[in-house]
Structures are given as C-alpha cells and as structure tokens.
Amino acid sequence: MRRVRALLAVGLVAAAAGLALQPGGVSAQAAASIVETGWWSRQPAAVPGSAFEVARAPDGDVSVTAFRIRVDGQVSSAQLQLAEVQVTGSPSLQICATLATWTAPAPAPGMWDTRPAPTCGSTPVRLAHNDVQKTWTVDVRSFLPSGQPTASVMVVPALDESITVPPPTPAPPVGIPVAPPVTLPPPSTIPGQTPVPLPFTASFSGAQLLVEGSAGASGSPAGDLSTAPFLDTVGDLGTSDSFFATPDIPAPSEQALASPAQVEGRFPQRGDVGLPGKRGANQPWGRLPLFTLLAAAIGGATTVGRSQLRERGVLST
C-alpha cells in the first residue's frame, strides 16, 4: 500500500513538472518602471517640497527633467504621470527622447551646463493636464525601443508658446535743425519681430509609470519618487462607469399607457348644440317663439313711440 502511494506521488510531481516546462505554460509579465530621475536648473528651486520642476523664462529654458526607464518584457502602453505641486504661468510641456549619457545629480538640481540634450521631433508630444487631480500625463510607449533594457526621456518646455515683440524704433538724428526727407529703407534691412517665450514654472512632487503588457493585462504603478500616494482617484472621470451607464428601463406597470382609441367622428347635429350633459340642447332654436314675441313687442313699442313723437311735433311726418 505504501509503495502504491509513493508511486502515485511521484507521478503527480512528474505531471506538474511537465506542465510547467510545456511551451506557453508560463508567460513573463510585462513591466516598466522609473529607475532614476534627475533635473537641472539655472536657478535654485523656488517651491518647497518639490522633487523636480520644469521651467522657462523669456530668454529660454530654465529647468528640465530626465527619467531613466527600465523595461522588462513587452509593453503595449506606458503612461507617465507627474504629480503637480505648484504652477505659475501657463505651462506647455512636451516629452522628448535623449541619447545623452547622464547621471542624476545629488543634490538636485544639477548644474545647468551638465544637463543632457533632448531629441525632440518636429511635432511636440504634449503632456495632458488634469486640473482636478493635479496631474500631467503622457504615453511614452513610443519612446521605449524594443530589445533594449533601458530608455531615457526628458520633460522640457514646448517651443511654440511665445509672444512677439516689435523691433525697437530708431532714434531721431541729432544736430540737424531741419528734418531730412523721409526715405524708407529696403524691406530686406527692416528688422523683424522677435519671438519671446512665455515664462512659467511647473513643480512636481513625484512621477510614476502605469504600464500594460502586450497581452492586455494591466500593470501596477511603478517607479514612484517616494511619493506613492500622490495620485487621487477623486474626480477621475476616465475610470468611472457611472457616466456611461445604460439607463434603467422602467417596469411595465410604470410605463406610460397608450392613448385610447379615438371614436369615429360625425358632423354635429342640431340636437348636439348646448352644454355638456344635454343641458341647453336645441338652443337657441328652442327659444325662437319667445324671441319672436319679444321682437314683435319691441316693434310695436317703436311704432307707438314714433306716433306720439309726431303728434307732439318732435318728429316730422
């Protein structure tokens, strides 16, 4: 009996090992995470509690941030989310790749001259701002090359938000008592308007990466900067099914009844005239004799009255 039990146990272990080694039996879970974050600025950080910032001044960029992302397996979607601390101005942020070698400066921010150079395309890939959750989001899947364990991206100011400043007016000539004749310079020598970037500062408390594998399984947030609870689910319209829920169909007893069938109509008859319930039916024809006598009385009174007025000379004959 013991020998039979031992043989059964060995068989079960062998079967389990065979299923585990069978192709397709085990699939590696896709994952991506932020493993390093660095930022560089040409001015000290102005917002207490911020982990990094992106800023711009009228004379150019002031602060930029870089993220190093480690990729394990196939990733079909990777959402980079930044938690906003404070914003001044109207930020316009874009995500760019960088091929430069960099190391996160300690302490941050690093020297401006040591920042990595971003590689941005002709069309900026902007970060979307959620004013309710105070987050900035962008899909960085296209910035994660396949076959490489790590990739670097940078968040920098977009370049198309600017105002134009007219050229300075030349000073009038000095020492000439009479103004010289006005001669317009050729168009090629007239200075054009100079674009000036709009300044802003966007400070963030942390970043994290939400990933999905190629099989469609959702991944958990990864790569936070010691600020894991910065995402809030309050006000998230994108994950609520109540907004797009199908309305409930009322019960048959609560539904509106169909209107009753209409009775075929007929032309009104003389007997139908009068008030509801046959009150006053056959009127005013039923009072015709009374009206006749009343008209005769009025006519007779009129005739007698006219005769009396003629006799008294009030009316002419």
Side-chain angles (χ1 to χ4, degrees), residues 22-53:
Q22 187 177 5
V26 177
S27 59
Q29 183 179 3
S33 60
I34 301 173
V35 295
E36 195 171 7
T37 301
W39 70 288
W40 299 260
S41 180
R42 53 191 175 102
Q43 68 177 6
V47 180
S50 61
F52 56 88
E53 71 178 27

Side-chain angles (χ1 to χ4, degrees), residues 111 144 186 194 221 243 275 317:
M111 299 295 295
L144 306 180
T194 304
F243 184 78
L275 300 176
T317 55

Side-chain angles (χ1 to χ4, degrees), residues 34-311:
I34 301 173
V35 295
E36 195 171 7
T37 301
W39 70 288
W40 299 260
S41 180
R42 53 191 175 102
Q43 68 177 6
V47 180
S50 61
F52 56 88
E53 71 178 27
V54 180
R56 182 176 61 191
D59 58 346
D61 295 350
V62 174
S63 302
V64 295
T65 300
F67 301 98
R68 181 171 286 111
I69 300 174
R70 183 181 62 196
V71 181
D72 300 324
Q74 298 294 327
V75 177
S76 62
S77 176
Q79 296 285 334
L80 175 65
Q81 293 187 352
L82 311 181
E84 174 187 310
V85 174
Q86 181 175 329
V87 166
T88 59
S90 299
S92 179
L93 308 181
Q94 64 175 334
I95 189 80
C96 302
T98 178
L99 301 178
T101 302
W102 59 272
T103 303
M111 299 295 295
W112 184 246
D113 296 337
T114 62
R115 72 190 185 280
T119 303
C120 304
S122 57
T123 302
V125 181
R126 298 180 181 275
L127 277 73
H129 183 218
N130 188 322
D131 190 51
V132 177
Q133 294 186 349
K134 302 299 181 182
T135 58
W136 295 73
T137 309
V138 65
D139 190 354
V140 297
R141 171 62 185 86
S142 59
F143 296 89
L144 306 180
S146 59
Q148 297 186 11
T150 60
S152 293
V153 296
M154 294 186 65
V155 178
V156 300
L159 302 178
D160 58 347
E161 300 292 338
S162 61
I163 59 176
T164 55
V165 177
T169 304
V174 180
I176 300 178
V178 180
V182 178
T183 57
L184 296 178
S188 59
T189 62
I190 299 178
Q193 294 183 344
T194 304
V196 176
L198 295 175
F200 68 83
T201 300
S203 300
F204 304 95
S205 61
Q208 67 176 1
L209 203 64
L210 302 178
V211 298
E212 289 185 0
S214 58
S218 300
S220 60
D224 63 311
L225 300 178
S226 302
T227 55
F230 78 88
L231 287 180
D232 190 5
T233 58
V234 178
D236 185 5
L237 300 181
T239 58
S240 177
D241 296 334
S242 60
F243 184 78
F244 301 97
T246 304
D248 296 334
I249 300 178
S253 60
E254 300 177 357
Q255 297 180 5
L257 300 177
S259 60
Q262 301 294 324
V263 180
E264 183 179 358
R266 60 186 180 87
F267 194 80
Q269 304 296 322
R270 179 175 178 180
D272 296 337
V273 178
L275 300 176
K278 298 298 182 179
R279 291 180 299 171
N282 299 325
Q283 299 299 329
W285 295 278
R287 300 177 182 178
L288 184 60
L290 178 61
F291 288 157
T292 302
L293 294 177
L294 182 60
I298 293 174
T302 303
T303 303
V304 173
R306 292 174 62 87
S307 300
Q308 294 294 329
L309 293 176
R310 290 192 187 98
E311 290 179 358

